[in-house]
């Protein structure tokens, strides 16, 4: 089943900050739209980002800095409806399910996204919904009266649709509604409800923004990792995904990149998801000689499935020789790419042990890592 995500980031956001597209306003130091993009990405085979006319340069720059490629850009229209329509034009013909999400909701968790995809596959259209908890009152002619909240739901995004259904819905009605399921309803087709999540709120006001900032800063966890490999002749020396010219290389079942192994362990540790040996055992033939950058990408996927995303990391490689400083920029770039982070969130350092211990005797290389992750569900 192929899933295509459309992230709508073409709104004006006038209530939040004058003169700036809400999707580009910073949250935890990064443009808001990146949060939803990172959340949807593991579930989508194809990603379309709908941006305001004239702003594609700003979005491309943010995507590049955060190593978030490839994303297909589409240009937004006058109203939300036109923006989604432009996004739908770019949906590949082999997509089964289309997820449409508003960039102003930065925290759609993995279980919520899974439920919407399953609902859309089973019923044609599915929207995440939350029962209304507060009592409702309506103001009429100076009086207020209680409304029944029985069977009343608040609807969120991503909304999921079988591709043909959502294309038909948009072709059928020219109306501008506040969501996409409304157009499916105008076709006379049913819309199923899947369980929403209160954390998947929409940022509209400054108070919402403050709450989002609290969520970003409050839900972080830390992990540590450590690894050692033996130096032997006849093996390539690979550290941080960089092949480093040297007379000896690290011995191991994979490419024996001790730096990335320590980092994988730190990331898994922060999520309490076990360690690298459990997920990628050296008894498995498929991991023989595997580049550890692949293991790092797989680690990121395991984290995403369990509701975590990387925030930042710091690595120390302990080696007497060779000189690692010239290779550090390439290591940072590799790691940032594999984790979908900006390079300034990735630190790599190298040290010797002044000739002491096994590293000093050049019998092996060790690495230590600390990683911070954020809970996404
Ligand atoms: Mg190892």
């Amino acid at each position: 089943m192929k899933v295509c995500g459309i992230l709508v980031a073409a709104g004006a956001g006038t209530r939040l900050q004058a003169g700036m597209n809400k999707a580009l306003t910073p949250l935890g130091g990064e443009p808001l739209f990146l949060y939803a993009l990172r959340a949807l990405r593991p579930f989508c085979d194809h990603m379309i980002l709908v941006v305001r006319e004239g702003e594609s340069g700003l979005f491309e720059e943010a995507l590049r800095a955060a190593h978030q490629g490839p994303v297909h850009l589409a240009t937004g229209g006058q109203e939300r409806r036109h923006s989604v329509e432009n996004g739908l034009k770019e949906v590949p013909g082999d997509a089964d399910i289309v997820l449409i999400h508003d960039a102003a909701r930065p925290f759609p968790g993995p279980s919520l996204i899974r439920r919407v995809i399953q609902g859309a596959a089973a019923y044609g259209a599915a929207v995440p919904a939350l029962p209304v908890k507060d009592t409702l009152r309506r103001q009429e002619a100076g009086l207020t009266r209680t409304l029944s909240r029985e069977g009343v739901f608040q609807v969120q995004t991503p909304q999921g649709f079988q591709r043909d259904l959502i294309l038909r819905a948009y072709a059928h009605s020219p109306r501008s509604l506040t969501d996409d399921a409304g157009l499916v309803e105008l076709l006379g087709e049913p819309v199923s409800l899947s369980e929403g999540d209160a954390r998947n709120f929409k940022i509209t006001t400054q108070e919402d923004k403050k709450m989002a900032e609290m969520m970003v800063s409050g839900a972080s966890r830390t992990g540590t990792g450590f690894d050692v490999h033996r130096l032997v002749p006849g093996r390539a020396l690979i550290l941080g995904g960089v092949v480093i010219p040297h007379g000896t290389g690290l011995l191991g079942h994979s490419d024996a990149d001790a730096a990335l192994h320590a980092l994988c362990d730190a990331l898994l540790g922060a999520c309490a998801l076990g360690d690298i040996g459990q997920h990628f055992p050296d008894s498995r033939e498929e991991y023989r000689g595997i580049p550890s950058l692949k293991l790092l990408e797989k680690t990121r996927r395991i984290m995403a499935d369990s509701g975590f995303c990387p925030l930042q990391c710091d690595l120390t490689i302990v080696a007497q020789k060779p000189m690692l400083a010239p290779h550090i920029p390439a290591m940072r770039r590799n790691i940032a790419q594999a984790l979908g982070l900006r390079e300034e969130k990735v630190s790599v350092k190298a040290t010797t042990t002044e000739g002491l211990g096994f590293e000093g005797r050049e019998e092996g290389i060790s690495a230590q890592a600390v990683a911070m992750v954020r809970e996404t569900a």
Side-chain angles (χ1 to χ4, degrees), residues 227-229 254 256-258 261 276:
D227 196 30
V228 175
H229 282 265
S254 65
D257 188 330
H261 293 182
I276 190 171

Side-chain angles (χ1 to χ4, degrees), residues 5-22:
I6 299 179
L7 183 60
V8 186
T14 39
R15 265 185 287 182
L16 199 66
Q17 202 164 333
M20 193 180 197
N21 182 344
K22 176 161 59 177

Side-chain angles (χ1 to χ4, degrees), residues 19 29 45 50 65 117 181 183 200 206 221 237 255 271 307 319 329 365:
D45 302 280
V50 189
I117 293 172
L183 290 172
N200 182 31
Q206 284 295 348
R221 298 165 52 147
L237 176 62
D255 66 357
C271 313
I365 287 178

Side-chain angles (χ1 to χ4, degrees), residues 319-331:
Q320 193 62 38
K321 275 185 191 159
M323 188 59 159
L324 296 177
H327 304 287
I328 283 178
M331 293 184 198

Side-chain angles (χ1 to χ4, degrees), residues 179-222:
D179 75 351
D180 309 293
L183 290 172
V184 169
E185 198 181 312
L186 291 180
L187 275 182
E189 298 283 352
V191 173
S192 72
L193 300 184
S194 66
E195 192 190 336
D197 189 322
R199 291 167 294 185
N200 182 31
F201 62 92
K202 185 173 186 174
I203 297 183
T204 309
T205 63
Q206 284 295 348
E207 288 79 49
D208 301 331
K209 187 70 189 304
K210 277 185 197 145
M211 204 142 77
E213 290 285 0
M214 279 164 62
M215 280 181 64
V216 169
S217 58
S220 64
R221 298 165 52 147
T222 308

Side-chain angles (χ1 to χ4, degrees), residues 88-333:
L88 284 171
K89 283 182 198 150
E90 308 296 330
V91 172
D94 65 348
D96 303 296
I97 302 292
V98 179
L99 287 182
I100 304 175
H101 185 67
D102 292 327
R105 291 185 193 270
F107 309 122
S111 1
L112 179 141
I113 297 169
R114 260 185 229 115
R115 288 192 291 269
V116 171
I117 293 172
Q118 281 160 8
Y123 304 108
V127 299
L130 280 176
V132 172
K133 284 188 287 196
D134 297 328
T135 300
L136 299 172
R137 290 187 77 79
R138 183 192 202 99
Q139 196 167 29
E140 275 169 0
L143 289 173
T144 64
R145 61 182 83 238
T146 304
L147 291 179
S148 168
R149 63 180 182 200
E150 188 93 2
V152 177
F153 290 87
Q154 289 175 233
V155 170
Q156 307 180 319
T157 69
Q159 302 192 344
F161 308 94
Q162 289 175 11
R163 178 176 161 273
D164 295 345
L165 179 62
I166 191 66
L167 291 179
R168 247 185 328 124
Y170 267 86
H172 174 256
S173 169
R175 286 176 60 183
S176 279
L177 302 177
T178 51
D179 75 351
D180 309 293
L183 290 172
V184 169
E185 198 181 312
L186 291 180
L187 275 182
E189 298 283 352
V191 173
S192 72
L193 300 184
S194 66
E195 192 190 336
D197 189 322
R199 291 167 294 185
N200 182 31
F201 62 92
K202 185 173 186 174
I203 297 183
T204 309
T205 63
Q206 284 295 348
E207 288 79 49
D208 301 331
K209 187 70 189 304
K210 277 185 197 145
M211 204 142 77
E213 290 285 0
M214 279 164 62
M215 280 181 64
V216 169
S217 58
S220 64
R221 298 165 52 147
T222 308
T224 70
F226 176 71
D227 196 30
V228 175
H229 282 265
R230 187 184 290 274
L231 276 169
V232 295
R235 290 268 301 185
L237 176 62
I238 300 170
L239 287 167
V242 179
V243 183
I244 298 165
H246 193 52
T248 54
L250 294 172
L251 181 66
H253 183 68
S254 65
D255 66 357
D257 188 330
L260 295 189
H261 293 182
L263 178 56
C264 288
D265 265 353
L267 290 163
L268 292 168
C271 313
L273 283 171
D275 64 24
I276 190 171
Q278 271 168 260
H279 291 281
F280 316 113
D282 59 11
S283 54
R284 294 261 290 273
E285 206 44 44
E286 62 185 295
Y287 300 125
R288 181 179 298 279
I290 191 172
S292 295
L293 274 175
K294 286 265 177 303
L295 299 182
L296 187 59
E297 281 163 14
K298 284 176 191 283
T299 299
R300 180 185 169 196
R301 173 64 78 104
I302 291 166
M303 292 168 65
D305 283 348
S306 300
F308 297 97
C309 73
L311 278 181
Q312 62 179 82
C313 60
D314 181 24
L315 259 167
T316 303
I317 305 171
V318 185
Q320 193 62 38
K321 275 185 191 159
M323 188 59 159
L324 296 177
H327 304 287
I328 283 178
M331 293 184 198
R332 291 179 67 197
R333 197 157 48 242

